């Protein structure tokens, strides 16, 4: 019950932090299943703490001297073989127990960024749960980095089919006489709320560069796995409106697009005015 109240509070009162945020983290606290006095740590095996730290490194939110602390029971302080650790594993600088404070003086390097190919570090399931991780992956892919996940290799054919399906859903369907790529799908461009507003949640995307094509925006949405049910393109006004049938999908799009740059412009992303005070 306490967890439910906490999550509801996060949804109601938190503010998304984009990758371009200037946030600085002074102290990192992580949980552990076991930890050694040398600072070597074992978690639950899902890699979330390691990945979250690597994301903060990528954002510039933590530095090499940012202390990492774990809080455990005395019985969780054990000898751990270094062979169990990988390059993506996070080490700790301090261990707090009910009876001791241990300074590890650990010299093993901490993760210096996301290691996309490590199955234990990043998985497709994580990308679905953490929208900002998808944004970071998209940026690094644009920069030429290999961001293929290990669990994607046997499913490349399925991924290709999904991309084709997305293209069909998002294909422009101009009205007669409209300029190519400028008309919305099932929407009045002068009034984005005119159709489906009772059942959809609309995300406003602004500050689009004048040189950006609608196909480039659609490509980014596919890469981030936040394809809308309908897209209204208003390139002359440097904006677009994305319709989602589920409110959760709209919020995932908000988080994924926060801090994203297209054509050199940092996008302005928020719920459309008619949806800001709902739910």
């Amino acid at each position: 019950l306490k967890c439910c109240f906490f999550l509801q509070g996060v949804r109601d009162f938190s503010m998304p932090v984009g990758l371009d945020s200037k946030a600085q983290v002074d102290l990192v606290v992580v949980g552990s299943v076991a930890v050694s006095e040398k600072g070597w740590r074992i978690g639950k095996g899902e890699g979330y703490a390691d990945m979250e730290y690597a994301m903060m490194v990528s954002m510039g939110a933590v530095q090499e001297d940012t202390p990492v602390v774990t809080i455990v029971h005395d019985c969780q302080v054990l000898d751990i073989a270094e062979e169990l650790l990988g390059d993506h594993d996070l080490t700790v600088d301090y261990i707090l127990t009910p009876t001791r404070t241990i300074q590890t003086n650990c010299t093993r390097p901490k993760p210096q960024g996301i290691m996309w190919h490590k199955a234990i570090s990043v998985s497709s399931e994580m990308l679905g749960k953490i929208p900002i991780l998808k944004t970071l992956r998209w940026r690094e892919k644009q920069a030429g980095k290999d961001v293929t996940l290990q669990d994607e290799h046997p499913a490349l054919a399925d991924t290709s089919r999904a991309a084709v399906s997305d293209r069909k859903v998002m294909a422009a369907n101009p009205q007669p006489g409209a300029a190519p790529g400028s008309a919305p799908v099932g929407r009045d461009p002068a009034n984005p709320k005119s159709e489906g507003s009772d059942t959809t949640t609309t995300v406003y995307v602004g500050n689009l560069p004048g040189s950006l094509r609608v196909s480039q925006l659609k490509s980014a949405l596919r890469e981030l796995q936040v394809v809308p049910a309908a897209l209204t393109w208003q390139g002359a006004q440097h904006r677009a409106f994305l319709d989602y049938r589920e409110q959760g999908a709209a919020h995932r799009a908000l988080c994924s697009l926060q801090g994203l740059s297209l054509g050199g412009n940092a996008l302005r992303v928020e719920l459309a005015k008619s949806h800001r005070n709902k739910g």
Side-chain angles (χ1 to χ4, degrees):
L1 185 61
K2 180 179 179 181
C3 180
C4 291
F5 280 123
F6 172 76
L7 293 175
Q8 186 62 46
V10 170
R11 284 192 289 265
D12 290 345
F13 303 110
S14 64
M15 179 180 297
V17 176
L19 291 173
D20 295 323
S21 168
K22 302 302 181 182
Q24 291 292 312
V25 176
D26 299 319
L27 177 70
V28 177
V29 181
V30 295
S32 301
V33 171
V35 64
S36 77
E37 293 189 15
K38 294 181 180 180
W40 302 341
R41 169 189 170 275
I42 294 178
K44 293 190 295 183
E46 297 177 345
Y48 280 98
D50 309 311
M51 180 271 301
E52 289 165 357
Y53 180 87
M55 287 179 62
M56 290 190 288
V57 171
S58 300
M59 293 173 59
V62 298
Q63 313 300 324
E64 289 185 5
D65 59 351
T66 303
V68 179
V69 177
T70 191
I71 304 172
V72 296
H73 193 276
D74 288 284
C75 67
Q76 293 172 269
V77 182
L78 305 167
D79 289 332
I80 297 175
E82 188 171 9
E83 291 75 18
L84 295 176
L85 304 182
D87 294 339
H88 62 282
D89 286 317
L90 178 62
T91 57
V92 301
D93 302 300
Y94 295 92
I95 304 168
L96 304 184
T97 80
T99 64
R100 292 192 290 169
T101 298
I102 303 169
Q103 184 172 356
T104 67
N105 297 311
C106 184
T107 58
R108 185 181 178 91
K110 294 181 173 64
Q112 295 302 302
I114 301 289
M115 304 182 72
W116 301 101
H117 63 285
K118 295 286 187 180
I120 196 171
S121 179
V122 183
S123 65
S124 298
E125 182 182 3
M126 280 186 178
L127 291 176
K129 292 180 178 179
I130 308 171
I132 198 170
L133 184 61
K134 291 189 293 186
T135 304
L136 177 60
R137 186 187 184 210
W138 186 85
R139 283 192 177 190
E140 295 197 356
K141 181 178 181 180
Q142 296 298 107
K145 186 174 180 178
D146 182 3
V147 297
T148 303
L149 307 184
Q150 194 172 61
D151 66 356
E152 284 182 335
H153 287 293
L156 289 178
D158 292 338
T159 301
S160 298
R161 284 194 293 270
V164 171
S165 175
D166 287 346
R167 283 195 289 272
K168 290 180 180 178
V169 170
M170 296 189 63
N173 184 23
Q175 296 176 0
S182 64
V185 180
R187 293 278 299 279
D188 176 1
N191 181 12
K193 299 180 290 183
S194 63
E195 184 172 330
S197 59
D198 292 337
T199 58
T200 62
T201 301
T202 302
V203 174
Y204 164 85
V205 182
N207 199 34
L208 297 174
S211 60
L212 190 75
R213 297 174 179 267
V214 64
S215 59
Q216 292 173 290
L217 176 60
K218 291 178 180 180
S219 176
L221 295 172
R222 284 195 299 270
E223 291 279 355
L224 297 171
Q225 299 177 27
V226 289
V227 178
L231 185 153
T232 299
W233 176 256
Q234 297 182 354
Q237 289 78 38
H238 306 286
R239 67 190 181 193
F241 295 88
L242 315 178
D243 283 348
Y244 294 90
R245 294 193 179 96
E246 297 179 359
Q247 193 175 75
H251 283 280
R252 285 193 295 274
L254 277 173
C255 293
S256 295
L257 295 170
Q258 286 288 342
L260 184 66
S261 294
L262 288 178
N265 284 19
L267 302 185
R268 178 186 171 193
V269 186
E270 58 191 41
L271 288 178
K273 291 180 179 179
S274 60
H275 295 275
R276 291 179 191 169
N277 298 321
K278 292 184 179 180

